[in-house]
């Protein structure tokens, strides 16, 4: 089991309402910082982490226990034997997260957690409250103006019901509030994501934050008790 005092590289979660640009930003962060990108939505599809289909909400009901068992292998560094997974989790009976689920952006990336490096994962998903707090060192909540988000939802082909639900979610700050309730407020950062320019600027801020995290947690790399608390002002929009 790892946390910010034992990881040698930080873990980042990019979250927000559907269509705010989470996957695109996580991919850019992974590429710039040679991190491993975990697209949680793809993991859910590939490992069939569904219980049933909700006709009213027009979406599948997530099997949170199965998903967390799968992700735990990477985030906590647990072996397959350490996870209480049923043999029917996958067709081959293996509940572990395959290498295909981790989007490698660069051949020279830091060694995967399996090989000794702890951390260095960037995940994206439209919810955040289901993940253990210890998994992440920075929570990025992307926000989009309502007219921008509406156009993106239409382009994505969302029906009226789902489009209205997601618009209400953004207007009511649902994901941001869940992030602040689920994680230490000092690691939750709200970022505007209306344009490519916004995304590029946000990634630059994350790069600065990542480098500062490495400095602040130098004792982790040296086998010490852990570094100082990181200053998220480096990544906030006010910086």
């Amino acid at each position: 089991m790892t946390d910010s005092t034992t990881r040698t590289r930080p873990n980042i979660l990019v979250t927000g309402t559907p269509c705010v640009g989470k996957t695109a930003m996580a991919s850019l962060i992974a590429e710039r910082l040679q991190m491993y990108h975990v697209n949680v939505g793809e993991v859910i599809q590939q490992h069939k982490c569904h219980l049933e289909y909700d006709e009213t909400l027009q979406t599948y009901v997530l099997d949170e226990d199965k998903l967390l068992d799968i992700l735990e292998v990477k985030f906590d560094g647990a072996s397959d034997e350490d996870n209480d997974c049923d043999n029917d989790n996958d067709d081959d009976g293996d509940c572990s997260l395959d290498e295909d689920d981790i989007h490698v952006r660069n051949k020279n990336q830091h060694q995967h957690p399996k090989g000794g490096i702890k951390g260095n994962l960037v995940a994206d998903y439209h919810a955040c409250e289901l993940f253990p707090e210890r998994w992440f060192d920075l929570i990025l909540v992307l926000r989009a103006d309502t007219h921008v988000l509406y156009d993106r939802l239409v382009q994505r082909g969302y029906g009226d019901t789902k489009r209205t639900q997601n618009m209400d979610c953004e207007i009511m700050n649902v994901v941001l509030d869940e992030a602040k309730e689920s994680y230490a407020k000092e690691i939750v950062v709200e970022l505007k994501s209306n344009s490519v320019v916004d995304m590029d600027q946000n990634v630059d801020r994350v790069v600065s934050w990542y480098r500062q995290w490495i400095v602040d947690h130098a004792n982790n790399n040296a086998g010490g008790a852990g570094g100082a608390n990181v200053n998220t002002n480096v990544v906030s929009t006010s910086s």
Side-chain angles (χ1 to χ4, degrees):
M1 185 178 297
T2 67
D3 58 25
S4 61
T5 66
T6 59
R7 279 191 284 273
T8 54
R9 295 290 187 275
N11 289 335
I12 300 170
L13 174 63
V14 183
T15 188
T17 306
C19 292
V20 292
K22 300 179 297 296
T23 301
M25 182 169 175
S27 297
L28 288 174
I29 291 172
E31 186 173 358
R32 286 280 301 274
L33 291 171
Q34 300 180 7
M35 299 180 76
Y36 285 82
H37 177 200
V38 180
N39 183 326
V40 177
E42 288 189 359
V43 174
I44 291 170
Q45 292 181 353
Q46 291 168 1
H47 293 270
K48 302 180 179 64
C49 300
H50 302 123
L51 295 173
E52 59 189 19
Y53 187 79
D54 189 316
E55 295 288 350
T56 302
L57 297 177
Q58 299 178 6
T59 187
Y60 284 97
V61 177
L62 175 66
D63 186 340
E64 291 188 11
D65 290 339
K66 180 175 180 179
L67 174 63
L68 293 177
D69 281 342
I70 292 169
L71 294 177
E72 185 180 21
V73 176
K74 296 304 178 189
F75 283 97
D76 275 343
S79 65
D80 294 349
E81 293 78 11
D82 291 335
N83 288 279
D84 183 17
C85 301
D86 297 330
N87 288 333
D88 61 353
N89 276 359
D90 288 305
D91 294 337
D92 59 2
D94 182 11
C95 71
S96 63
L97 188 62
D98 299 329
E99 293 302 317
D100 289 342
D101 299 321
I102 305 292
H103 300 274
V104 180
R105 300 299 175 184
N106 190 307
K107 292 181 179 178
N108 298 318
Q109 291 186 60
H110 291 296
Q111 190 177 5
H112 192 272
K114 238 178 184 179
I117 290 294
K118 298 176 180 178
N120 214 41
L121 299 172
V122 54
D124 75 90
Y125 193 51
H126 62 261
C128 60
E129 77 283 356
L130 70 161
F131 304 119
E133 185 177 0
R134 67 180 181 274
W135 281 4
F136 298 106
D137 305 285
L138 181 65
I139 310 296
L140 301 174
V141 183
L142 303 188
R143 305 299 304 275
D145 292 342
T146 53
H147 69 281
V148 174
L149 182 61
Y150 181 87
D151 289 344
R152 292 176 181 174
L153 291 167
V154 171
Q155 291 173 3
R156 187 76 65 86
Y158 278 61
D160 291 341
T161 301
K162 291 189 70 173
R163 188 168 60 241
T164 300
Q165 290 172 347
N166 287 314
M167 290 294 295
D168 289 345
C169 179
E170 183 70 3
I171 293 169
M172 298 298 292
N173 302 326
V174 171
V175 179
L176 179 61
D177 289 345
E178 288 178 349
K180 290 180 177 179
E181 291 174 0
S182 304
Y183 301 90
K185 292 182 180 179
E186 59 267 21
I187 73 167
V188 177
V189 179
E190 181 181 5
L191 294 173
K192 182 189 298 184
S193 183
N194 287 326
S195 65
V196 174
V197 173
D198 288 339
M199 187 172 297
D200 289 341
Q201 292 176 345
N202 291 337
V203 172
D204 287 341
R205 294 186 181 103
V206 174
V207 169
S208 297
W209 173 87
Y210 182 98
R211 292 170 178 167
Q212 187 61 47
W213 192 97
I214 298 298
V215 173
D216 291 343
H217 294 76
N219 286 344
N220 296 11
N221 295 283
N229 292 330
V230 70
N231 179 9
T232 54
N233 287 336
V234 174
V235 73
S236 67
T237 54
S238 60
S239 62

